[in-house]
Amino acid sequence: MPVLAFFGTPDDRAYLPRFNELCTPWGVKVSLTPETFLASIAAKCKANRVEAIITTCPQTMTLLLSSLPDFRHPLDKRGLKRKLSLDDYAGSCFTLPAAKMGTPHDIRVLILNPLNHLVRTPEGRFVFKRFISKITRPQDWFPQTSFTWQVWKPSDSASLLAKFGSAKLLAVDIETYRGDEHRRIHCVGYCALFADGSTHSVVVPFKDMLALDFCRKLNASAPPKIFQNGLYDNLYFLRWNIPVHNWLYDTQHLFHSWYSELPKRLDFITAFAVRDIRYWKDDSAGGEFELFEYNARDCWATMNAWCSLMLEVPDWAITNYLQEFPMVFPCLHMEADGLSLDHEKFLAAKAEAEAKLEVQKKKLEAWFGESFNPGSSDQCKRLLKVLGMGDVESADAKAMNACAAVHPFNELIVSAILAYRKQAKLLSTYFVWEKFWNGRLYYKLNPAGTDTGRLASSESSFWCGLQIQNIPQGPAVKSWIVADKGWLLAENDYSQSEARCVGYLSGCTALINLVESDKDFHKYNASAFFGVPYEQIDKPLRDLAKRVNHGSAYNMGASVLLDTMGPKKVAEARILLKLPAKWTLIQVCQHLLRTYELTYPEVKKDWYDDLKRTIKMTKKLVSPLGWTRYFFADPASSKPALNAAVAHSPQNLSVSIINRVFYSVWWETMYGKLRGKVRVK
């Protein structure tokens, strides 16, 4: 029986039986003491005829990595060695030569996260089993290529264009100057897969027109291109007018189409797909040559990860990919275009926001003195203690809302503090002109950014701009986002899109009849929830029904509803509905959620039961449009997992419908009858 040595920590002890199961048929020798000398590890391996090492100990990991001749320990800003993270290196697998270890044969090394991940995370056992198979079943892994690379020189251009232009695939990656006002490219890497199965990488220092011309020609060459999160790279290529032809493949989107709940970083995807890989994302530190090698390795990793995944992904993941990947093109177009801003309106709105913040500050100073800082966590924790909450670990919104729920006096104070914080966040997030480039608001939209398929937003890949989806309602921000000259801004939306999906997916006839009727959705719900005639529903009742519908449809708990609505709104609901004054705010929220269950019983009972049963049997949910999501957790035994399943089905169906229409509109604006008439944002 082959033997592996496990070097862990005392915290791993309770999980060793679960770990040993995954190592079968290998025997396991265990040491839970951090190692400080390689000779000690070597002696234990020799004495026990160990063929492989698995470690979850940061100290032991650092020792093993430091013994590798090509390992460069990352440094912090002070030039000191940084503490290495198990989370970074998990899945790394490398060889310690027999000559160094004094053993009869080489020793394979695998790094894992602490063993508590086996039970702490839903995907833990799955990921551990796959990584451990690098030791126990090496024959199952993709036959990766050797890493070879060179730095481009102008004299190489003709030969490299001929060689790489005839490749079967090209993986492409760029490195940029973060924070650079000109948004320059530092270097461009290419990894070619040739007909004989070998690969080779070349890195182009992007410093002159000769380099730009070479990249332009290679980007326009025939081989299909592979990227990892190619939205970033292609935005810069468009910026420098060297667009990529035949971008068909992207490792991030393929992996998201398979296991949407797992990390989509290149280092994790590569560790998941490639056996012999060591975390390399810190290797760019140092001189320019190190950056070029790092760039080349990124390309090699992208190529090998793509080829490995394509040999393994199921058909349903390919179906998902064919739905998701085309969305990168309208997303790229939008990011390159951005939105126009009016600087004068920006300054006026900023002055108004600052005036509101000052009013809120003066109010709090009148209560607590000029030294009180509502943004100070320590001061607010002391205040919470005075208000009867005891010693709390945090003064975040959740803790503040819990305090507000105790007494109306607490609610008065907490609401003022939260209002101040909200206004301060508005100013610090949106009213910083330096976030905008050339007077425009740039933003990124990523089809692989959520588990449900909804586009996720962040600041632009140009290291500027805003997350576009969370801009607050009202004129505070939207007043200074304007149309480009000669254009108008318009907004489209589907009516009650997710509610329709909940109705049809659950088969709830009452909900289906409502969304297909001409009645106002939230007014009707208010009437049904609260027993008030439809004609007598006013705005406060309608708004309350809207909040209840959103919370209940996605299995929200009472405490989460309180956090979402805020204590002031919940207290107002208690008065509005004439509920018992002695009820706590949590009891009010429980009552509100119950009204939805009574109105639409099929949603909470039959549909939820069906979701639990389907995932337990298949580990998957399949939408009516064919999108399949894999679930690691069991919703029958985990409320967070049930919440995810409940939210996924209507959200995925809703956004899939929207994305299909959105893509068709974008296509018409580029190639059809809407060209020159409509620009998508």
Side-chain angles (χ1 to χ4, degrees), residues 26-264:
W26 285 52
V28 180
K29 295 292 184 179
V30 176
S31 173
L32 300 182
T33 304
E35 297 289 343
T36 53
F37 298 102
L38 187 64
S40 172
I41 296 177
K44 291 177 180 178
C45 290
K46 192 172 182 179
N48 293 284
R49 299 181 180 179
V50 167
E51 297 181 32
I53 292 171
I54 296 178
T55 184
T56 61
C57 174
Q59 186 174 331
T60 304
M61 173 189 72
T62 303
L63 178 65
L64 293 169
L65 288 169
S66 299
S67 69
L68 299 174
D70 64 339
F71 178 71
R72 296 191 297 272
H73 199 117
L75 305 178
D76 62 20
K77 293 180 180 179
R78 298 171 296 171
L80 303 176
K81 288 184 177 180
R82 252 184 29 216
K83 185 176 180 180
L84 302 184
S85 165
L86 284 172
D87 202 45
D88 286 340
Y89 286 87
S92 293
C93 188
F94 52 89
T95 299
L96 294 177
K100 192 172 188 68
M101 297 295 290
T103 52
H105 45 71
D106 295 343
I107 302 291
R108 298 291 297 172
V109 177
L110 173 68
I111 299 170
L112 295 176
N113 273 311
L115 295 189
N116 64 12
H117 282 231
L118 285 167
V119 297
R120 188 169 65 85
T121 61
E123 70 279 4
R125 190 179 189 280
F126 170 82
V127 173
F128 268 61
K129 183 177 180 180
R130 185 176 182 95
F131 285 164
I132 291 171
S133 73
K134 292 185 177 188
I135 301 294
T136 60
R137 296 191 59 83
Q139 68 275 12
D140 292 349
W141 285 80
F142 172 72
Q144 65 201 71
T145 65
S146 299
F147 173 61
T148 62
W149 75 289
Q150 69 183 88
V151 178
W152 169 88
K153 302 188 298 292
S155 58
D156 299 329
S157 290
S159 60
L160 284 173
L161 283 172
K163 185 178 181 180
F164 277 52
S166 61
K168 296 299 182 182
L169 292 171
L170 278 181
V172 190
D173 179 65
I174 69 169
E175 300 300 325
T176 60
Y177 300 89
R178 182 162 185 168
D180 177 49
E181 62 175 329
H182 301 297
R183 277 65 185 178
R184 290 173 296 169
I185 299 172
H186 197 150
C187 55
V188 183
Y190 300 92
C191 180
L193 174 67
F194 302 108
D196 63 0
S198 66
T199 60
H200 184 64
S201 299
V202 61
V203 175
V204 184
F206 201 77
K207 298 180 182 295
D208 53 39
M209 291 302 295
L210 290 174
L212 185 147
D213 181 67
F214 175 81
C215 292
R216 175 176 285 145
K217 290 175 179 175
L218 201 50
N219 284 359
S221 63
K225 313 299 189 302
I226 311 167
F227 288 86
Q228 159 69 16
N229 184 22
L231 283 167
Y232 184 95
D233 311 79
N234 282 277
L235 183 67
Y236 281 84
F237 283 142
L238 292 181
R239 157 82 173 135
W240 291 95
N241 194 24
I242 47 175
V244 173
H245 172 74
N246 226 10
W247 172 26
L248 298 180
Y249 309 129
D250 196 294
T251 47
Q252 182 187 72
H253 294 286
L254 180 62
F255 199 65
H256 177 261
S257 297
W258 188 11
Y259 293 121
S260 66
E261 297 179 11
L262 294 182
K264 269 74 72 179

Side-chain angles (χ1 to χ4, degrees), residues 393-638:
E393 295 182 0
S394 170
D396 59 11
K398 185 175 182 179
M400 299 293 279
N401 283 329
C403 176
V406 173
H407 193 276
F409 178 74
N410 291 16
E411 191 275 327
L412 177 68
I413 294 174
V414 165
S415 294
I417 294 174
L418 292 179
Y420 175 91
R421 288 183 180 179
K422 182 178 180 181
Q423 191 67 17
K425 183 71 186 304
L426 178 77
L427 275 162
S428 64
T429 302
Y430 298 103
F431 289 94
V432 182
W433 190 252
E434 290 73 22
K435 290 185 176 184
F436 311 120
W437 182 39
N438 294 335
R440 298 188 75 79
L441 191 170
Y442 291 98
Y443 54 90
K444 180 174 185 171
L445 292 167
N446 183 5
T450 69
D451 293 344
T452 62
R454 177 181 59 81
L455 302 181
S457 180
S458 63
E459 70 171 16
S460 167
S461 301
F462 284 143
W463 305 105
C464 63
L466 299 172
Q467 201 272 48
I468 196 69
Q469 292 171 329
N470 283 350
I471 287 179
Q473 293 181 340
V477 175
K478 292 186 177 181
S479 63
W480 41 272
I481 299 175
V482 297
D484 288 306
K485 187 176 180 180
W487 294 82
L488 297 173
L489 280 176
E491 191 172 10
N492 291 336
D493 195 10
Y494 271 124
S495 174
Q496 307 305 330
S497 178
E498 289 186 20
R500 289 174 183 271
C501 292
V502 169
Y504 280 100
L505 287 168
S506 66
C508 179
T509 54
L511 188 50
I512 293 172
N513 290 337
L514 171 57
V515 296
E516 296 299 350
S517 73
D518 58 359
K519 289 184 169 62
D520 180 281
F521 181 78
H522 296 301
K523 282 183 65 175
Y524 181 90
N525 275 336
S527 177
F529 293 167
F530 312 134
V532 179
Y534 179 82
E535 297 76 15
Q536 297 178 21
I537 299 298
D538 55 11
K539 189 176 186 303
L541 279 173
R542 184 184 185 278
D543 290 344
L544 179 59
K546 185 175 181 180
R547 290 175 177 271
V548 172
N549 174 77
H550 180 77
S552 297
Y554 295 120
N555 203 35
M556 189 179 289
S559 60
V560 178
L561 182 63
L562 176 59
D563 291 340
T564 304
M565 290 181 61
K568 184 176 181 179
K569 290 292 184 183
V570 175
E572 290 174 354
R574 180 169 54 193
I575 297 171
L576 189 64
L577 300 179
K578 299 179 181 179
L579 300 175
K582 64 180 181 180
W583 277 14
T584 65
L585 298 186
I586 288 292
Q587 287 177 306
V588 174
C589 290
Q590 290 170 339
H591 171 79
L592 293 175
L593 295 172
R594 181 64 176 161
T595 62
Y596 182 95
E597 294 181 34
L598 294 173
T599 305
Y600 304 118
E602 296 93 340
V603 174
K604 286 279 190 175
K605 184 67 176 68
D606 299 343
W607 183 44
Y608 282 19
D609 288 346
D610 182 65
L611 292 174
K612 293 175 188 177
R613 185 166 49 251
T614 300
I615 294 174
K616 193 169 188 65
M617 292 175 61
T618 68
K619 304 287 288 185
K620 296 185 285 288
L621 287 179
V622 183
S623 84
L625 296 184
W627 179 275
T628 302
R629 173 173 167 184
Y630 188 93
F631 286 80
F632 287 101
D634 180 5
S637 57
S638 166

